[in-house]
Amino acid sequence: MKQMKHEPQLLKLALEIGVGYAKKRGFADFDKGVSPKDKVECIYRLLVNDNLIQPLAKDKEDGPNMKHKLILWISRQLPAEHPLLND
């Protein structure tokens, strides 16, 4: 996995956008007690279900790989000149 310069910020943005997307799809908001790990998995599975991202192989479905998929997804949604994409 190639590391990107602003991964924590990109992941945070991916979670914010993902939560907004889930709300628009009719899902309830995440409670304050939901861990970031669970949010990552829920948003990852929603995006896979909606065919917005390619699913990971079953043996590769773990937290770091799901986070990486979300980071790749959001980095492709941002314009090329976005500050978080500049290395």
Side-chain angles (χ1 to χ4, degrees), residues 1 4 6 10 18 22 26 31-33 36-37 40-41 48-49 51-52 54-55 62 68 70 72-73 76 79:
M1 252 186 307
M4 299 178 89
H6 300 285
L10 286 168
D31 292 331
K32 298 286 185 201
K37 178 186 172 200
V40 166
E41 184 172 354
V48 167
N49 186 57
N51 295 318
L52 295 176
Q54 284 288 111
D62 59 11
H68 188 70
L70 291 179
L72 291 176
W73 168 71
R76 291 182 181 129

Side-chain angles (χ1 to χ4, degrees), residues 8-22:
Q9 295 91 343
L10 286 168
L11 180 61
K12 182 178 177 185
L13 182 59
L15 290 176
E16 289 173 10
I17 301 294
V19 167
Y21 177 73

Side-chain angles (χ1 to χ4, degrees), residues 18 21-22 25 27 41-50:
Y21 177 73
R25 289 266 282 107
F27 292 92
E41 184 172 354
C42 289
I43 293 168
Y44 164 80
R45 295 202 185 282
L46 175 63
L47 295 176
V48 167
N49 186 57
D50 289 353

Side-chain angles (χ1 to χ4, degrees), residues 18-86:
V19 167
Y21 177 73
K23 284 183 190 177
K24 287 181 183 175
R25 289 266 282 107
F27 292 92
D29 195 10
F30 289 99
D31 292 331
K32 298 286 185 201
V34 176
S35 72
K37 178 186 172 200
D38 290 339
K39 282 185 187 180
V40 166
E41 184 172 354
C42 289
I43 293 168
Y44 164 80
R45 295 202 185 282
L46 175 63
L47 295 176
V48 167
N49 186 57
D50 289 353
N51 295 318
L52 295 176
I53 59 174
Q54 284 288 111
L56 292 163
K58 291 289 182 195
D59 62 329
K60 302 285 185 195
E61 280 188 346
D62 59 11
N65 285 329
M66 288 181 192
K67 285 179 183 180
H68 188 70
K69 277 293 216 182
L70 291 179
I71 290 167
L72 291 176
W73 168 71
I74 199 64
S75 66
R76 291 182 181 129
Q77 305 304 312
L78 297 173
E81 64 275 356
H82 195 279
L84 291 177
L85 299 179
N86 297 333

